Amino acid sequence: MPPKFDRKRGLMSRRITQGALIAGSIGILINIVDAIGSGHLEPHDAFTALVALGAGGELLKERRPRAAKVLYAVTSVLLVIAGSVAGARAWASLFRGTTYDWLDLGLGVLIVLYVAVGAGQLLARLSRRASKSRMNAGTLSD
């Protein structure tokens, strides 16, 4: 009989996250063996590590929030680097007129959007902080 979902503990989502961590770890091992056999890494080989890091961050979120934030930051940086490399290669191939991978091309576009949204969120947060500090300064001067 499968375990019941518990809202407090989130048992099912924890099990899914543990499964993602295991699948990501297995994918990392497969990519290592593939890289040894072929002699080089491809940008898409990083995505199994992204799954494992994201799942690890999710599992650490409640007990070790700082460690989870570090894992999320590492995951984001790795995502941007791997996606940028894959996208740049595909876009360069497109402009040269050689063969390219549509998936890598789309990934490059998604990474640009991901960075744009992240930059927008950062600017909005900084703007709110500046606004709050101006309001607090105005309140103190009265």
Side-chain angles (χ1 to χ4, degrees):
M1 178 188 263
K4 293 183 180 178
F5 180 76
D6 183 8
R7 283 194 186 270
K8 276 187 173 178
R9 296 183 187 167
L11 180 64
M12 293 303 285
S13 83
R14 186 165 184 82
R15 293 261 168 108
I16 291 169
T17 306
Q18 288 170 342
L21 180 63
I22 291 168
S25 300
I26 291 169
I28 291 170
L29 292 174
I30 290 169
N31 286 336
I32 289 171
V33 170
D34 185 42
I36 291 170
S38 67
H40 65 282
L41 284 170
E42 292 293 325
H44 61 265
D45 291 338
F47 290 99
T48 55
L50 292 172
V51 170
L53 288 170
E58 188 66 27
L59 289 171
L60 287 174
K61 187 168 54 173
E62 291 178 11
R63 293 183 183 210
R64 301 198 183 265
R66 284 187 179 175
K69 284 183 180 183
V70 169
L71 279 178
Y72 288 142
V74 169
T75 303
S76 294
V77 169
L78 185 59
L79 174 69
V80 170
I81 291 171
S84 297
V85 169
R89 285 182 182 176
W91 281 99
S93 295
L94 175 71
F95 291 130
R96 281 190 307 241
T98 59
T99 60
Y100 56 90
D101 187 1
W102 280 99
L103 184 62
D104 288 345
L105 198 67
L107 184 61
V109 171
L110 289 175
I111 291 302
V112 169
L113 294 173
Y114 179 77
V115 169
V117 167
Q121 287 178 335
L122 180 63
L123 289 173
R125 185 178 302 148
L126 292 174
S127 174
R128 277 184 294 214
R129 278 190 185 169
S131 171
K132 279 184 181 179
S133 72
R134 281 192 302 263
M135 283 198 321
N136 289 340
T139 306
L140 291 175
S141 65
D142 290 340

